[in-house]
Amino acid sequence: MAAKLPASMTVDAQPCAFTFPPRHTALLLLDQSRSSGTIANEGTPGVYAKSVKSTNQLQDLFRSAGLHVIHTRVGTHPYDFPQQSDPEFRTQQDANDFDFDSSLEDDEGEDSKGGIKLESINAEVVVNYAGSGPFWGTTLMEKLRARALTHLVVGGSSTVQGLISTVQEARDRGFQCCTIEEAITSSLLDAEDRKKLTSLGYVTSLESFANILSPYSVDFDSLDENSLVWDGDLSISSLSAAYRRGLSLHEVINTIYSRIEAYHKIDPAVWIYLEPKESVLQAARNLGLRFPDRRKLPYLFGIPISVKDSIDISHLPTTTACPPLSTIPTTSAPIYELVIDHGALFIGKTNMEQLATGMTGCRSPFGTPHSVYSPHYIAGGSSSGSAVSVGASLVSFSLGSDTAGSGRVPAAFNGIVGFKPTKGTVSARGITPACASMDCVALLTRNVEDARTVWHVVEGFDEEDVHAKPWPHLPPSLVPAVGVDNFVAQFRFNFGIPPPKALAVCSAVYRRMFDKAVQTMQSIGGVLTSIDWTPFEKAGKLLYEGTFVLERLAGLPDGWLEENREHLHPVTREVFEGVSRRGSSAVEVFRDLHAMQRYTRQTHKTFSPDNPNGISILLVPTIPTHWTIDQVNASPIQTNTVLGDFAHFGNVLDLVAVALPAGVFPKAEMEGRAGGDCRSVEGTEVEKNGVSVHDGGGVREGEEVLPFGVTLLGGTRQDAEVLELARRFEERCPGTHPRS
């Protein structure tokens, strides 16, 4: 079994040793072999073939160790050749869409120069460009930022000038680069070329790199599948590593369905539709035929998923927990197609708040799911079943949605991660709208790393989604500071929190836990900075106290509410009837739109890197308290409103957000019982109801606990930076991670 990668590694190199963090390091492959024979013009077919074979060995090492591989290719589209200087003709395509000039390939899959092609595997980034460098006019920088990469190992089939200029471009953008001499056309390098490369970065040998990576790579030829013991962990990284070592899809599926059957006795309201086990087994068999080589498995191979029942799946009903509005789509939502194409296994569609109208999880005709921590406490909504299916370890991740907090709130109540990307950067087509202009996909996962992995698969511009955002014209030019990790000795960033007046809505135990979270943020380099809370507060009120709530009616067919009142959940009906009675005018709508633009501009200045008094992160409690199901049923509207104090403004202000666990506390403390006063107890790792948790202090052995969560918010398109800081927070405060 491969060892776990350390936080940093060092390899002998010139001009000195190259130290790099594996988590933030990628293999950057340069492939100019497809561009009208430029390599053949500089060297010989034998030189080219040798460099490609060495590069393939390097690829295998990185893939086997679970590290990123990034492909850059020049001259890969027919119209690149005649107009290489024109940026209009520069393209960046997904690996699945990649198509190069077939004249460069012979019948046996080898290129015309006698070498072996540098091939990508499913989900590896492929950036095509026309000849002026892979960073120029492409999305390469965005792809590197999204993966929090700071160090690049460079190799491939490239001209000498192409290699040097790429390393120069990377260094100018803040990356540290190390070139593998066998993985380039090394016989073409003269003393001056080597001097240039070592002045820009590092140069080392393939053997040196292989020596340090091999202990962390899977030796597929010596695997004994019968000796493999799977610990039942459904996190993507753990399950993917187990598949590479030979874990069978059949074993995983059997385990999942056994868990689902057992958990149904605990909570029968998780699922609206469950895929028959035999259908999943057949999908697994088909998956095995598609990807027979364990060296080349896609990111989501065999990863079990659930889907919120507002997301279309072809030929299955989409109910949005409202049977009268149910439809049977003939096509699936693009986000679903993407994860399935990358190897995910669909398990079922999950329960949700009817028509996505609330955040308690208590408004569904299919029953009320409860928190995985207690049958008496709410699961949150509207992505209630999605959060429970992940928190109860029934699936690895779930596709949900988030308009006012519907992905973040249930994540907090179930001890998992809820990631809301920048609005419009993941396709929302094929998802029943709640408020179409505010809707956003939510990814509910077991940890931050899993959220980033799924985001890499689903993020991208969908030109058929009218609310989609295109790629920015000019991506940020430098490596973000949050990606550097321990390689900046005095790493610092500014963060803000709500003022005491805003935090007064929190229960006492939540206030105590939030103070600990602030300390955790400071421990990873955060500098607490004063902010103006006013635009956040006012923007949050626009969503339900203003006219924006009218958009929920706009998503329904004309006359539908009048015809179907009696079919709605009583609380849902009350919400919609209240909206109808308002009689808001067009003037009021426009005033609210203008206010939204004003608050958005104010908060974007707060998050601007050019503002010396600005912040990188806003840290808030995800929710102010944890209601019981009985409390919500007694006062459904008021309890729901309170839950949105730190969530409603997220999409109104076009922010990115990651909700994640920040410890647990005694349930007795929430209920005001004396047993909750455990202030002298230090934080420890404990296990409760099959959940391995970090208690954050205050939990006695065997005591019932509830989860606490925080949300990290950042400015629009700061997804990569927010995810990286969330990962660091998670490492320092492990929170609650369902283990089996």
XYZ file of all heavy atoms in Angstrom, residues 60 63-64 119-122 218-221 223 225 240 243-246 286-299 301:
285
model
N 2.833 8.678 -15.059
C 2.389 7.533 -14.262
C 2.695 7.733 -12.785
O 1.892 7.376 -11.909
C 3.045 6.247 -14.764
C 2.510 5.808 -16.130
O 1.428 6.296 -16.516
O 3.186 4.993 -16.795
N 0.164 10.391 -11.439
C -1.198 9.848 -11.355
C -1.314 8.823 -10.240
O -2.284 8.831 -9.490
C -1.574 9.207 -12.694
C -1.829 10.208 -13.808
C -1.883 9.516 -15.159
N -2.208 10.437 -16.237
C -2.047 10.173 -17.516
N -1.545 9.002 -17.901
N -2.377 11.071 -18.430
N -0.329 7.957 -10.142
C -0.384 6.911 -9.130
C -0.318 7.483 -7.725
O -0.902 6.928 -6.787
C 0.761 5.920 -9.352
O 0.697 4.873 -8.421
N -0.857 11.359 -23.765
C -2.312 11.286 -23.696
C -2.822 11.737 -22.335
O -2.227 11.428 -21.297
C -2.796 9.850 -23.969
C -2.509 9.372 -25.386
C -3.375 10.066 -26.422
O -4.083 11.033 -26.086
O -3.334 9.641 -27.589
N -3.944 12.445 -22.333
C -4.620 12.793 -21.086
C -5.623 11.704 -20.752
O -6.012 10.915 -21.614
C -5.354 14.129 -21.234
O -6.362 14.014 -22.229
N -6.013 11.644 -19.494
C -7.098 10.760 -19.100
C -8.263 11.617 -18.643
O -8.137 12.823 -18.450
C -6.671 9.772 -17.982
C -6.270 10.527 -16.708
C -5.548 8.874 -18.463
C -5.989 9.606 -15.544
N -9.397 10.983 -18.493
C -10.629 11.686 -18.191
C -10.450 12.631 -17.019
O -9.935 12.251 -15.976
C -11.715 10.647 -17.864
C -13.098 11.209 -18.059
O -13.257 12.386 -18.346
N -14.098 10.371 -17.914
N 1.146 3.794 -6.267
C 0.615 2.433 -6.258
C 1.372 1.600 -7.284
O 1.476 1.988 -8.450
C -0.887 2.427 -6.585
C -1.420 0.999 -6.623
C -1.657 3.252 -5.564
N 1.902 0.453 -6.852
C 2.542 -0.487 -7.775
C 1.474 -1.462 -8.261
O 1.165 -2.456 -7.616
C 3.677 -1.233 -7.064
C 4.424 -2.174 -8.006
O 4.027 -2.275 -9.187
O 5.381 -2.823 -7.562
N 0.894 -1.162 -9.404
C -0.234 -1.947 -9.890
C 0.147 -3.387 -10.208
O -0.672 -4.290 -10.104
C -0.826 -1.281 -11.136
C -1.474 0.041 -10.859
C -0.780 1.229 -11.070
C -2.768 0.112 -10.372
C -1.369 2.447 -10.809
C -3.360 1.329 -10.109
C -2.660 2.507 -10.328
N 1.386 -3.615 -10.603
C 1.797 -4.955 -11.014
C 1.930 -5.912 -9.840
O 1.886 -7.130 -10.020
C 3.127 -4.877 -11.774
C 2.996 -4.101 -13.073
O 1.908 -4.163 -13.684
O 3.974 -3.428 -13.471
N 0.000 -5.731 -6.972
C -1.173 -5.679 -6.095
C -1.740 -7.065 -5.841
O -1.856 -7.885 -6.744
C -2.262 -4.801 -6.708
C -2.068 -3.282 -6.627
C -3.197 -2.581 -7.359
C -2.023 -2.831 -5.178
N -5.208 -8.212 -4.753
C -6.554 -7.711 -4.487
C -7.212 -8.427 -3.309
O -8.058 -7.867 -2.614
C -7.424 -7.862 -5.742
C -6.912 -7.039 -6.912
C -7.799 -7.159 -8.135
O -8.906 -7.718 -7.995
O -7.395 -6.710 -9.220
N -11.317 6.634 -4.062
C -10.565 6.582 -5.318
C -9.255 5.820 -5.140
O -8.868 5.028 -6.006
C -10.285 8.000 -5.817
O -11.477 8.672 -6.148
N -10.040 2.132 -5.028
C -10.320 1.585 -6.362
C -9.023 1.328 -7.120
O -8.886 0.316 -7.815
C -11.205 2.538 -7.160
C -12.675 2.506 -6.788
C -13.396 3.687 -6.636
C -13.353 1.301 -6.602
C -14.750 3.674 -6.310
C -14.697 1.269 -6.270
C -15.396 2.459 -6.129
O -16.726 2.441 -5.802
N -8.079 2.252 -7.016
C -6.804 2.049 -7.704
C -6.072 0.825 -7.171
O -5.329 0.175 -7.902
C -5.915 3.293 -7.564
C -6.403 4.509 -8.326
C -5.293 5.529 -8.520
N -4.727 6.002 -7.273
C -5.192 7.032 -6.576
N -6.241 7.702 -7.008
N -4.611 7.403 -5.455
N -6.299 0.502 -5.898
C -5.653 -0.678 -5.310
C -6.433 -1.960 -5.569
O -5.971 -3.042 -5.190
C -5.489 -0.484 -3.799
C -4.570 0.671 -3.405
C -4.173 0.590 -1.943
N -5.303 0.533 -1.054
C -5.920 1.585 -0.536
N -5.500 2.808 -0.854
N -6.949 1.452 0.272
N -7.613 -1.848 -6.211
C -8.332 -3.057 -6.582
C -9.667 -3.264 -5.915
O -10.296 -4.311 -6.100
N -20.922 -1.554 -16.465
C -20.643 -0.727 -17.644
C -19.454 0.196 -17.402
O -18.641 0.435 -18.298
C -21.876 0.104 -18.004
C -23.048 -0.754 -18.442
O -22.876 -1.906 -18.861
N -24.255 -0.213 -18.337
N -19.362 0.689 -16.176
C -18.251 1.572 -15.818
C -16.926 0.817 -15.897
O -15.917 1.344 -16.379
C -18.483 2.119 -14.413
C -17.734 3.380 -13.985
C -18.047 4.535 -14.927
C -18.108 3.746 -12.555
N -16.927 -0.418 -15.428
C -15.723 -1.231 -15.496
C -15.273 -1.491 -16.922
O -14.074 -1.560 -17.211
N -16.232 -1.624 -17.836
C -15.899 -1.825 -19.242
C -15.347 -0.549 -19.863
O -14.458 -0.591 -20.719
C -17.136 -2.287 -20.014
C -17.681 -3.676 -19.643
C -18.990 -3.949 -20.377
C -16.648 -4.761 -19.977
N -15.865 0.605 -19.435
C -15.383 1.888 -19.966
C -13.967 2.192 -19.503
O -13.174 2.774 -20.247
C -16.301 3.028 -19.513
C -17.608 3.167 -20.257
C -18.423 4.310 -19.671
N -17.746 5.595 -19.792
C -18.049 6.672 -19.062
N -19.006 6.606 -18.131
N -17.401 7.800 -19.242
N -13.659 1.805 -18.262
C -12.363 2.163 -17.672
C -11.697 0.914 -17.082
O -11.666 0.731 -15.860
C -12.547 3.222 -16.589
C -13.250 4.464 -17.062
C -14.574 4.695 -16.737
C -12.586 5.393 -17.846
C -15.229 5.840 -17.171
C -13.228 6.534 -18.290
C -14.553 6.761 -17.954
N -11.166 0.053 -17.946
C -10.573 -1.193 -17.444
C -9.208 -1.009 -16.784
O -8.784 -1.869 -16.018
C -10.457 -2.046 -18.719
C -10.328 -1.046 -19.832
C -11.172 0.127 -19.418
N -8.524 0.101 -17.089
C -7.173 0.322 -16.573
C -7.233 1.156 -15.301
O -7.593 2.333 -15.330
C -6.337 1.038 -17.638
C -4.858 1.127 -17.259
O -4.520 0.853 -16.087
O -4.048 1.479 -18.139
N -6.856 0.569 -14.186
C -6.906 1.289 -12.908
C -5.915 2.442 -12.852
O -6.009 3.309 -11.991
C -6.649 0.320 -11.753
C -7.828 -0.570 -11.419
C -7.461 -1.588 -10.376
N -6.459 -2.517 -10.884
C -5.883 -3.462 -10.151
N -6.197 -3.583 -8.883
N -4.990 -4.275 -10.677
N -4.965 2.470 -13.765
C -4.034 3.592 -13.827
C -4.703 4.845 -14.381
O -4.175 5.949 -14.228
C -2.838 3.238 -14.712
C -1.952 2.121 -14.185
C -0.902 1.772 -15.230
N 0.056 0.783 -14.754
C -0.143 -0.523 -14.779
N -1.289 -0.997 -15.260
N 0.771 -1.351 -14.333
N -5.824 4.683 -15.066
C -6.436 5.788 -15.795
C -7.915 5.956 -15.436
O -8.767 6.109 -16.298
C -6.268 5.569 -17.301
C -4.823 5.497 -17.744
C -4.695 5.299 -19.244
C -3.233 5.272 -19.675
N -3.091 5.088 -21.152
N -8.205 5.932 -14.161
C -9.587 6.101 -13.722
C -9.938 7.585 -13.648
O -9.123 8.407 -13.229
C -9.791 5.465 -12.344
C -9.536 3.956 -12.252
C -9.776 3.474 -10.826
C -10.406 3.189 -13.225
N -11.158 7.958 -14.041
C -11.577 9.357 -13.920
C -11.760 9.744 -12.458
O -11.846 8.884 -11.574
C -12.900 9.392 -14.683
C -13.420 7.993 -14.608
C -12.210 7.107 -14.635
N -11.849 11.049 -12.209
C -11.900 11.559 -10.836
C -13.018 10.935 -10.009
O -12.869 10.709 -8.804
C -12.111 13.074 -10.855
C -10.892 13.887 -11.229
C -11.014 15.234 -11.542
C -9.630 13.322 -11.264
C -9.901 15.997 -11.890
C -8.518 14.072 -11.609
C -8.661 15.396 -11.921
O -7.565 16.144 -12.256
N -14.715 7.993 -10.526
C -14.961 6.583 -10.817
C -15.548 5.871 -9.600
O -14.943 5.832 -8.527
C -13.653 5.896 -11.223
C -13.804 4.420 -11.486
C -14.176 3.965 -12.737
C -13.580 3.491 -10.475
C -14.320 2.605 -12.989
C -13.726 2.134 -10.707
C -14.099 1.685 -11.975
